[in-house]
Amino acid sequence: MLVLLPLPSRCPEEVLPADPWTVFSARESLDLACGPASLSWAGKYAAKLAVIELLGLTEPVWSDVEILPDEADCRAPGGPCRARHRPSVVLSGAARTAAGGARGGRIAVTITHETTAAAALVVWDRTATAPV
């Protein structure tokens, strides 16, 4: 699933819903506080939209889909996590159920940013043994 999110400007207020705090969990907000806000917000938002669409959630609870730094990258030596992390998808609630629970495979995500757009590509490998 690919989601391309046009950015009317670099202001997150123009990209996200009226209250972005309903979109991002406390853990995501902490991660967002460390980087260039508009690009990070737009990229995470595009990734969340892609995962929600991939799972076919019609009434998503935004906090059920989190886009967080990969824990293995954060534990690696050599600098701040934010500067080099791969994003990972963490599911809970209805999103986890839609993905088949712990045996539902693995969802991989990649995010890219340009001046006028953010894009996220998610791939659901249902044969992977890693939990979602």
Side-chain angles (χ1 to χ4, degrees), residues 2-3 9 11-12 16 19 23 30 41 45 49 55 59 63 72 85-86 88-89 94 103 108 110 112 114-116 125:
L2 174 67
V3 168
S9 73
C11 297
L16 297 170
D19 185 4
V23 174
L30 183 62
W41 290 51
Y45 184 53
L49 289 173
L55 296 176
E59 294 184 25
S63 60
H85 82 269
R86 290 175 297 187
S88 65
V89 178
R103 298 176 195 259
T110 185
T112 188
E114 295 294 331
T115 303
T116 59
D125 181 359

Side-chain angles (χ1 to χ4, degrees), residues 29-121:
S29 296
L30 183 62
D31 181 47
L32 287 167
C34 298
S38 61
L39 297 181
S40 298
W41 290 51
K44 280 185 187 281
Y45 184 53
K48 281 178 167 264
L49 289 173
V51 171
I52 286 167
E53 183 69 25
L54 178 76
L55 296 176
L57 299 174
T58 55
E59 294 184 25
V61 175
W62 288 101
S63 60
D64 286 353
V65 177
E66 292 181 298
I67 309 300
L68 297 168
D70 186 271
E71 287 185 24
D73 280 356
C74 290
R75 287 191 301 263
C81 171
R82 176 85 181 144
R84 67 181 188 289
H85 82 269
R86 290 175 297 187
S88 65
V89 178
V90 179
L91 302 177
S92 61
R96 187 171 175 91
T97 302
R103 298 176 195 259
R106 184 177 195 295
I107 298 176
V109 62
T110 185
I111 301 170
T112 188
H113 305 98
E114 295 294 331
T115 303
T116 59
L121 175 67

